Amino acid sequence: MIRALIIDDERSNQITLENMIRNFCEGIEIVATLNSVEEGVKAINIHQPDLIFLDVEMPVHNGFELFDYFESPNFNVIFTTAFQEYAIKAFKFSAIDYLLKPIDLDDLKLAIKKAMDKREAEATQGKLKILRENLNNVCNKFALSTIDGYQFVELKNIIRCESESNYTFFYLVGGKKVLVSKTLKVFSKLLEDQNFFRISRSDLVNLNHVERYGRQKSPSITLSDNTTLTISLRRKEAFLNKIERL
């Protein structure tokens, strides 16, 4: 049985989430519902929960400040938030699970399943660090989920991404290559406003690493790692417009 806490300053949100979990999510025991970070810290020390549903925006202290009290937390967390898209991107960059209010039942079930994965729990501290940095600044760090765990990288060190069926290879500064089990389409959408551009079905490039553009019949670019890639003809004009705006 998974022991869980709900920390949210609005009683209606507590009741709604608790009812959803009790009625539709087997194997979860809600041991306490709390209204603030202060109450949450006390309850964690008493109940030693496995999982916490944590509201982001609360009076006095926001949800992230809970982790100031736990250097190495032995619980996992699912954030609940009403944040709009700008902040949601920070969650995605950090590979942190979140539930957007009003909470969808299928999203809740999936978040619980992921949160209780041992590998996810072990990476919590690293992902939270990136999340807090990305919320305070322009998103500049990325948590890449690999077969062995998580690779935390700075966006400036990503040279390009290459499609490999339902996977994506990330090519990094220094020659490192990381395989991630998500499609290139996912990363293309996430990185499109971070100076990345999809030049073809197979390739997404960091425009900051473009060193040369060739005007051949089949236009191409050379990147900082000396890789040369062909630009799809139908993407050529959009690519040039993007380059000109840098």
Side-chain angles (χ1 to χ4, degrees):
M1 180 68 71
I2 297 169
R3 295 164 57 79
L5 300 179
I6 295 174
I7 305 175
D8 194 308
D9 63 300
E10 294 188 21
R11 182 56 183 159
S12 60
N13 290 335
Q14 293 178 358
I15 293 172
T16 298
L17 180 54
E18 187 168 4
N19 286 339
M20 291 176 73
I21 293 171
R22 292 190 188 283
N23 293 327
F24 302 105
C25 302
E26 295 182 1
I28 303 283
E29 178 190 4
I30 303 299
V31 294
T33 57
L34 301 313
N35 299 314
S36 67
V37 167
E38 293 87 343
E39 291 182 4
V41 171
K42 294 176 182 177
I44 291 169
N45 289 326
I46 293 171
H47 296 288
Q48 298 295 308
D50 306 297
L51 177 62
I52 297 175
F53 295 91
L54 180 60
D55 186 26
V56 172
E57 290 190 304
M58 292 182 286
V60 186
H61 299 290
N62 66 44
F64 304 119
E65 292 178 78
L66 176 76
F67 295 91
D68 294 339
Y69 296 88
F70 300 95
E71 184 176 348
S72 300
N74 58 358
F75 53 84
N76 214 328
V77 61
I78 298 173
F79 286 100
T80 60
T81 178
F83 273 156
Q84 297 303 309
E85 184 59 31
Y86 82 95
I88 294 304
K89 179 159 286 190
F91 279 95
K92 291 180 178 179
F93 269 60
S94 311
I96 289 279
D97 280 313
Y98 67 92
L99 294 170
L100 193 61
K101 299 175 182 179
I103 294 171
D104 177 82
L105 179 58
D106 289 337
D107 290 342
L108 173 62
K109 290 180 177 180
L110 180 59
I112 291 173
K113 181 179 179 181
K114 288 176 61 180
M116 297 320 300
D117 182 283
K118 183 180 180 182
R119 189 189 68 166
E120 298 286 333
E122 291 174 345
T124 294
Q125 278 296 85
K127 293 189 291 182
L128 283 168
K129 183 176 184 293
I130 289 182
L131 175 62
R132 296 183 74 164
E133 290 180 11
N134 286 343
L135 283 170
N136 292 329
N137 306 286
V138 175
C139 290
N140 59 16
K141 290 190 176 180
F142 214 168
L144 300 178
S145 176
T146 71
I147 191 170
D148 298 317
Y150 281 88
Q151 179 80 34
F152 301 113
V153 303
E154 294 189 49
L155 290 185
K156 67 180 182 180
N157 291 330
I158 300 172
I159 298 173
R160 64 186 177 99
C161 309
E162 179 183 62
S163 175
E164 181 67 31
S165 186
N166 290 325
Y167 296 82
T168 299
F169 278 111
F170 278 71
Y171 292 83
L172 309 179
V173 170
K176 189 162 187 177
K177 182 178 176 182
V178 180
L179 180 63
V180 181
S181 58
K182 288 185 180 179
T183 65
L184 186 63
K185 181 178 180 180
V186 171
F187 296 113
S188 179
K189 185 175 181 181
L190 193 57
L191 295 169
E192 62 186 359
D193 60 353
Q194 303 290 328
N195 279 342
F196 282 72
F197 187 86
R198 190 166 182 177
I199 62 170
S200 66
R201 291 185 63 184
S202 300
D203 298 296
L204 175 72
V205 300
N206 185 341
L207 297 178
N208 295 317
H209 283 277
V210 175
E211 296 195 344
R212 181 179 179 277
Y213 169 72
R215 297 179 180 274
Q216 305 96 324
K217 184 176 180 180
S218 297
S220 64
I221 56 173
T222 301
L223 302 175
S224 62
D225 63 351
N226 292 320
T227 300
T228 297
L229 300 172
T230 300
I231 302 172
S232 168
L233 288 176
R234 68 184 184 88
R235 299 175 192 263
K236 173 184 173 182
E237 184 176 352
F239 170 79
L240 292 176
N241 288 337
K242 185 86 172 182
I243 285 290
E244 288 175 359
R245 293 197 297 270
L246 288 179

